[in-house]
Amino acid sequence: NWISISVESILARTPPHLLVEVIVVDDNGIPGKHDLPKNIRKNVDESEWDYIKSLSPKVKVIRHDNREGCARSRLSGAKVATGEVLMFVDSHIEMLSSTWYHHLAVPIIENPHTIAMQTIDVIDDLGTKDYGAGVGPLQYGIVNTEFWFSYQADRFGDYMESLHEDQYSKSELAARKKLKYLTEKPHPREPYETPFGPGSLFAIRADEFWRLGGYDEGLYVWGGENTEMAFKMWMCGGRMLMVPCSRVGHMYRQHKEKDGRGALTRWPPTLPREMTDRLGCAYKNGTYTGRFVVLKHPADNFTRITTRNNLRIMETWVGDHPAKKSYYKRLFGQETLKPEFQHFIDEWRSDPAAQKQVE
């Protein structure tokens, strides 16, 4: 019942005069439509939708007839939202105080070109569902060499270590390692700037969200929407802030549990064949053809789609920067794309949704 818990905590811990509406997007699709499996909703408690709508007239439910994914689902909600500020929230969270929104609103009032992000406390996704301290309070959001979001403890990290050690003698490297520098760490209570952030649990003015073009409608399933938004915000004159005093419990669906049917994988999710076919990412005739190799391993359908999303973002916002070739070499073992991945770039060039972002 985590959708219910999420909605209940928002209603209970947001001052009514500040809360315009709670929009919940049902992205599981309609069985049998768009070639979706007839049992696609087998794990859905349909009565929960009626329950959350009964909680308050402010609760609205949008139903997709096809599977669209994170970015497109958030766009569906944003398009019908009427509030001055948009708050993007996952469906497996709990707001932890009645002032969670106030702390996000203050930096937005100070600078309207702001994304204000909550600090995450992790909820155990198995067993007790206990809370544990998250990584947010003393961390900066970054992306690693594989273009995945991650956290770093101080602002400059290992900047004193050379990325090209072959350019230095042993004595020079030894001297560099002896250099001392003061790491810049965030204040435990004051909002602080961060290069990147997670894909949800953030507030932004509605007019600012649309000034940035919203999300790229070509981002499907999961992955990339957070890095895309960070690039746009920083490159278009805005800022991204972590807000330590706005706390939220978040359940990462990352483990496995056992029931009568054996082990159930929670993440990554199983994707319907219709969606992977639609995006040109499925195995041919259900079998692996030797193509789509990522990090020297055959890429499953989920990895193909997230890689597809990241390639779109690279082309749109990184362009010809050397970082793109470094990314290619890291993932694919070479600085140029093989035909199966080049296909995604060719698609991007003619996709109206991508061109809208460029404009």
Side-chain angles (χ1 to χ4, degrees), residues 22-34:
V22 179
I23 301 170
V24 184
V25 181
D26 177 357
D27 190 47
N28 203 39
I30 297 177
K33 197 166 185 179
H34 302 288

Side-chain angles (χ1 to χ4, degrees), residues 78 86 88 204-215 229:
L86 303 176
F88 293 96
I204 182 174
R205 284 182 59 102
D207 55 3
E208 179 68 1
F209 180 74
W210 295 118
R211 181 184 78 89
L212 298 174
Y215 286 115
M229 188 57 64

Side-chain angles (χ1 to χ4, degrees), residues 65-214:
D65 61 4
N66 203 354
R67 298 289 294 275
E68 304 293 350
C70 289
R72 291 171 64 86
S73 294
R74 290 169 186 154
L75 274 173
S76 294
K79 287 176 181 178
V80 301
T82 60
E84 185 178 356
V85 174
L86 303 176
M87 179 69 195
F88 293 96
V89 179
D90 283 339
S91 60
H92 34 95
I93 62 95
E94 182 178 7
M95 296 299 178
L96 299 183
S97 78
S98 59
T99 59
W100 68 267
Y101 176 68
H102 302 71
H103 294 293
L104 298 178
V106 169
I108 293 175
I109 293 171
E110 294 173 345
N111 180 349
H113 304 300
T114 297
I115 287 178
M117 295 170 286
Q118 291 188 281
T119 293
I120 297 174
D121 289 328
V122 178
I123 303 174
D124 177 32
D125 62 335
L126 296 177
T128 63
K129 304 296 189 290
D130 288 338
Y131 286 82
V135 294
L138 297 175
Q139 301 279 328
Y140 294 91
I142 62 168
V143 289
N144 61 20
T145 55
E146 297 164 17
F147 209 47
W148 288 108
F149 176 72
S150 184
Y151 287 100
Q152 182 168 287
D154 58 78
R155 186 168 183 179
F156 296 104
D158 58 355
Y159 86 107
M160 293 300 293
E161 296 299 326
S162 172
L163 296 178
H164 304 283
E165 293 192 0
D166 58 331
Q167 297 180 6
Y168 298 89
S169 67
K170 290 184 178 180
S171 60
E172 288 174 328
L173 287 174
R176 286 177 65 84
K177 291 178 179 179
K178 291 180 181 179
L179 292 174
K180 302 295 182 182
Y181 67 100
L182 296 176
T183 60
E184 183 175 338
K185 295 183 180 294
H187 192 282
R189 293 185 180 180
E190 295 293 330
Y192 58 93
E193 293 183 348
T194 180
F196 294 90
S200 67
L201 302 171
F202 69 86
I204 182 174
R205 284 182 59 102
D207 55 3
E208 179 68 1
F209 180 74
W210 295 118
R211 181 184 78 89
L212 298 174

Side-chain angles (χ1 to χ4, degrees), residues 35-53:
D35 295 324
L36 292 175
K38 294 187 180 300
N39 66 344
I40 196 169
R41 298 181 71 85
K42 63 182 179 181
N43 295 320
V44 177
D45 179 0
E46 301 292 358
S47 66
E48 191 170 11
W49 301 108
D50 293 329
Y51 171 71
I52 62 174
K53 286 189 288 187

Side-chain angles (χ1 to χ4, degrees), residues 185-260:
K185 295 183 180 294
H187 192 282
R189 293 185 180 180
E190 295 293 330
Y192 58 93
E193 293 183 348
T194 180
F196 294 90
S200 67
L201 302 171
F202 69 86
I204 182 174
R205 284 182 59 102
D207 55 3
E208 179 68 1
F209 180 74
W210 295 118
R211 181 184 78 89
L212 298 174
Y215 286 115
D216 176 1
E217 293 182 353
L219 298 177
Y220 282 86
V221 186
W222 183 90
E225 67 275 5
N226 59 326
T227 49
E228 184 218 16
M229 188 57 64
F231 275 130
K232 289 195 288 191
M233 178 56 83
W234 283 115
M235 296 172 74
C236 298
R239 62 176 184 168
M240 298 185 66
L241 299 180
M242 294 281 196
V243 183
C245 289
S246 179
R247 306 195 72 90
V248 59
H250 178 272
M251 179 182 291
Y252 291 96
R253 298 169 294 170
Q254 58 187 348
H255 297 108
K256 294 181 180 180
E257 67 177 6
K258 290 186 177 180
D259 64 2

